[in-house]
Amino acid sequence: MHWEGEKRRKLEELERAIERGEVDETAIPVLETINSFKEYCTTSSCSGRVVVLHEPEVGDKIGSEFVAKWHEPPEPEEVREAVLKAPEEGITWVKAQPPLFHVMCRDLEAAVRLRNIASEAGFKASSIRSVKSSKVIVEILGGERMDVPVKVNGELTLREEAWDSVVALCTDILRSGHERLSRLVEALKGLSR
């Protein structure tokens, strides 16, 4: 498909997702900024999140389920309540995940420029994920994350007084990612279109 048609189709999908409330609010200014360039088009996004994830066994991506997720800092009691609701068998995790954006780029030169800007804004784990004749995909990815197993086969692994500290660390990771997104938007706004 021709670049302009592909970009138009992706942006229409994004608009519908925003209308349905499927896009986290913090991601929207980043999406708008990236998509304002003729050579870029976002294909997926997350501004960072804290999740409670249950896996029947380690690494079972198919059987895993999100018990709860937040794109803004949660309260420790909210996280603990979600963990208590998770199934007893298997492993329940509290995870702080960094921002993640996939961007379709018109060509390799545009992709390299975007990857470099993202890296300079603090997204050191960013990379060019795919190169095809019609498009190149850049992954903008933060490097800070945390995965804590908090319930294993029904047994809580954290002491009562540790919940506040774990959620505070999750909040720090989330806020750090949001600050980097602000730097990314400012760096992109400084480019000529």
Side-chain angles (χ1 to χ4, degrees), residues 2-4 38-40 104-108 110 134-135:
H2 194 264
W3 170 260
E4 284 79 14
K38 65 179 187 260
E39 63 265 51
Y40 302 129
M104 184 173 67
C105 304
R106 185 176 212 149
D107 55 37
L108 186 57
S134 60
K135 63 187 169 205

Side-chain angles (χ1 to χ4, degrees), residues 25-184:
E25 298 270 332
T26 311
I28 293 173
V30 182
L31 295 168
E32 290 172 344
T33 302
I34 293 171
N35 289 321
S36 71
F37 289 87
K38 65 179 187 260
E39 63 265 51
Y40 302 129
C41 180
T42 56
T43 60
S44 64
S45 66
C46 177
S47 65
R49 62 189 181 181
V50 175
V51 301
V52 174
L53 179 77
H54 177 77
E55 293 179 324
E57 57 185 57
V58 173
D60 182 357
K61 300 300 179 207
I62 294 172
S64 67
E65 65 176 292
F66 287 103
V67 179
K69 61 183 167 181
W70 302 267
H71 290 98
E72 296 296 330
E75 293 297 323
E77 192 54 36
E78 290 178 288
V79 177
R80 191 171 189 283
E81 286 174 14
V83 168
L84 294 174
K85 290 178 188 173
E88 294 298 309
E89 295 301 314
I91 303 107
T92 302
W93 301 82
V94 170
K95 298 180 175 231
Q97 299 175 324
L100 172 65
F101 289 77
H102 287 124
V103 182
M104 184 173 67
C105 304
R106 185 176 212 149
D107 55 37
L108 186 57
E109 181 181 335
V112 169
R113 184 171 53 250
L114 180 61
R115 197 224 58 89
N116 290 344
I117 290 167
S119 181
E120 289 170 13
F123 294 98
K124 303 296 184 195
S126 297
S127 65
I128 295 175
R129 300 288 293 175
S130 171
V131 179
K132 296 184 179 171
S133 61
S134 60
K135 63 187 169 205
V136 182
I137 303 294
V138 168
E139 180 178 74
I140 298 172
L141 177 64
E144 297 170 333
R145 65 175 298 127
M146 182 176 77
D147 301 334
V148 179
V150 292
K151 187 163 83 170
V152 179
N153 293 324
E155 184 178 335
L156 293 177
T157 61
L158 294 180
R159 297 181 324 270
E160 189 66 36
E161 59 273 12
W163 285 97
D164 287 353
S165 297
V166 167
V167 175
L169 285 170
C170 289
T171 296
D172 288 346
I173 290 169
L174 196 60
R175 287 190 174 135
S176 175
H178 290 175
E179 289 169 11
R180 284 186 173 90
L181 286 175
S182 294
R183 288 199 305 263
L184 176 64

